């Protein structure tokens, strides 16, 4: 696995993303009935916001996941927890596997994303707020060092607010290495 990242092009990448966000497994993404134009408009808005950015994650040059980063102070989270300097929000959606499931792949993707985010100057803590019913992502978040803080009510969902400090991430990464989960040793920025 060799992960790289590139800026999302809302217009050019909308058909690809549409194929991901309308899959049943992506139901918590909230776009199951979206059209390609809806996806393009959503990501054009995100890219133009100045505080929320989307990137495509590539595996060997092939699009494999969508990563969003955002400033919690400029999001609905600002109303539900005391945002600290150094907080950075994250969303992650892994593409449907083209060749069937690969054990440990999603953990390796999450590791590459967290490694990239913690490499940014001033980032001390990653914040996530997945739907409270999304137990699969809660388990993955905890494996990578996120600590649940409780369920919060946001405009579009009840979410499990969780935080991951740099130290918690590094400890979790060490544990993944010990368990022989494939974790890329180098994720290109």
């Amino acid at each position: 696995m060799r992960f790289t990242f590139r800026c999302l092009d809302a217009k050019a990448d909308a058909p690809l993303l549409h194929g991901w966000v309308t899959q049943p497994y992506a139901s918590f993404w909230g776009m199951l009935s979206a059209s390609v134009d809806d996806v393009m408009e959503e990501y054009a808005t995100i890219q133009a916001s100045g505080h929320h950015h989307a990137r495509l994650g590539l595996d060997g040059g092939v699009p494999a996941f969508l990563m969003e980063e955002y400033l919690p102070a400029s999001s609905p989270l600002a109303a539900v927890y005391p945002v600290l300097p150094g907080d950075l929000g994250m969303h992650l959606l892994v593409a449907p596997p083209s060749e069937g499931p690969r054990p440990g792949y999603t953990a390796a993707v999450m590791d590459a994303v967290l490694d990239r985010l913690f490499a940014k100057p001033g980032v001390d803590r990653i914040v996530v707020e997945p739907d409270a019913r999304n137990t699969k992502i809660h388990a993955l978040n905890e494996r990578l060092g996120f600590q649940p803080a409780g369920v919060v009510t946001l405009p579009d969902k009840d979410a499990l607010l969780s935080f991951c400090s740099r130290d918690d991430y590094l400890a979790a990464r060490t544990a993944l290495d010990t368990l022989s989960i494939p974790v890329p040793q180098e994720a290109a920025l």
Side-chain angles (χ1 to χ4, degrees):
M1 288 175 274
R2 176 146 164 59
F3 298 125
T4 56
F5 298 84
R6 73 163 171 80
C7 189
L8 181 84
D9 180 321
K11 185 174 182 179
D13 293 324
L16 172 70
L17 291 183
H18 179 264
W20 298 357
V21 300
T22 57
Q23 296 291 318
Y25 82 92
S27 63
F28 293 113
W29 209 253
M31 299 188 83
L32 287 180
S33 61
S35 67
V36 172
D37 284 343
D38 294 337
V39 172
M40 182 182 67
E41 288 175 24
E42 175 71 14
Y43 282 93
T45 299
I46 286 171
Q47 297 300 70
S49 73
H51 60 81
H52 191 163
H53 305 285
R55 297 190 180 283
L56 271 183
L58 311 173
D59 184 356
V62 177
F65 56 94
L66 170 66
M67 175 204 124
E68 297 176 19
E69 59 186 78
Y70 65 93
L71 297 176
S74 298
S75 81
L77 285 180
V80 298
Y81 90 95
V83 177
L84 299 177
D87 282 358
L88 185 64
M90 176 197 74
H91 297 144
L92 176 65
L93 179 67
V94 178
S98 59
E99 299 175 10
R102 293 167 56 188
Y105 187 77
T106 304
V109 166
M110 175 81 90
D111 175 67
V113 168
L114 290 172
D115 187 60
R116 176 185 170 77
L117 295 176
F118 278 120
K120 290 176 165 285
V123 173
D124 298 318
R125 185 168 70 160
I126 307 301
V127 181
V128 293
E129 33 51 63
D131 191 291
R133 300 167 295 167
N134 190 348
T135 57
K136 286 184 179 181
I137 197 65
H138 302 320
L140 179 62
N141 287 343
E142 287 189 39
R143 284 178 62 202
L144 271 293
F146 284 89
Q147 305 296 318
V151 175
V152 297
T153 301
L154 297 174
D156 60 341
K157 63 186 173 187
D158 286 335
L160 180 61
L161 182 65
S162 299
F163 301 96
C164 184
S165 70
R166 185 182 312 277
D167 288 343
D168 287 339
Y169 163 62
L170 293 174
R173 189 171 203 225
T174 299
L176 286 179
D177 287 340
T178 302
L179 296 171
S180 298
I181 301 293
V183 176
Q185 297 304 308
E186 191 172 314
L189 299 178

